[in-house]
Amino acid sequence: MADEEAAAKCAALLKDTDEPTVFDKILNKEIPSKAVYEDDQVYAFRDIAPVGPTHIVIIPKHRDGLTRLSKAEESHKLLLGHLLYAARVIAQQEGLSNGFRVVINDGPEGCQSVYHLHVHLIGGRQMGWPPG
């Protein structure tokens, strides 16, 4: 977990730049990914460092200034709802009928390592509480 914390601290230095993120590069097919879902607003793929048997990252196709949840504005409400709805659709598609966890990391203390808002869908095992 220390590596994730270090990555989050480094990422925070570039948090609000217009530089392409790793997710932009995935969307542009510059970096390969294992897609599991796509529609007109979101793209979802398997995480390369999964923390559960199922670990999927769901990203908006257009950042529109939405680098982190705390930067959300009223104009983002529909997209935010769509991200959660997509998580439900993907969970059903993945057979996560016994439950799953949805995580949005925000900022350095929230361990956000990519400043392109994204949702983690994690399942396939018993989750513990409290998280983190």
Side-chain angles (χ1 to χ4, degrees):
M1 197 53 78
D3 289 342
E4 284 297 315
E5 292 171 17
K9 288 177 183 174
C10 286
L13 300 174
L14 303 170
K15 63 184 174 195
D16 288 323
T17 68
D18 284 329
E19 293 296 313
T21 68
V22 66
F23 295 158
D24 292 311
K25 293 175 182 178
I26 287 171
L27 286 168
N28 291 328
K29 309 289 189 228
E30 297 169 37
I31 296 175
S33 63
K34 294 180 181 173
V36 297
Y37 180 84
E38 182 173 11
D39 64 26
D40 62 322
Q41 295 182 62
V42 301
Y43 179 75
F45 55 94
R46 298 203 184 277
D47 196 293
I48 60 168
V51 297
T54 300
H55 186 164
I56 295 167
V57 179
I58 309 164
I59 60 175
K61 287 185 171 180
H62 304 286
R63 264 192 288 170
D64 189 30
L66 198 52
T67 54
R68 52 193 283 192
L69 186 58
S70 61
K71 298 282 185 179
E73 298 176 2
E74 188 170 350
S75 63
H76 296 121
K77 288 190 316 186
L78 291 175
L79 176 59
L80 293 170
H82 190 75
L83 283 162
L84 291 178
Y85 180 74
R88 195 228 26 113
V89 170
I90 296 163
Q92 184 176 29
Q93 171 184 299
E94 293 288 316
L96 300 176
S97 59
N98 287 329
F100 53 89
R101 180 167 286 166
V102 172
V103 177
I104 298 174
N105 299 325
D106 187 274
E109 288 189 10
C111 221
Q112 184 176 2
S113 58
V114 179
Y115 281 79
H116 180 138
L117 182 76
H118 56 286
V119 174
H120 294 267
L121 172 65
I122 305 164
R125 68 171 171 85
Q126 178 60 57
M127 301 292 158
W129 195 261

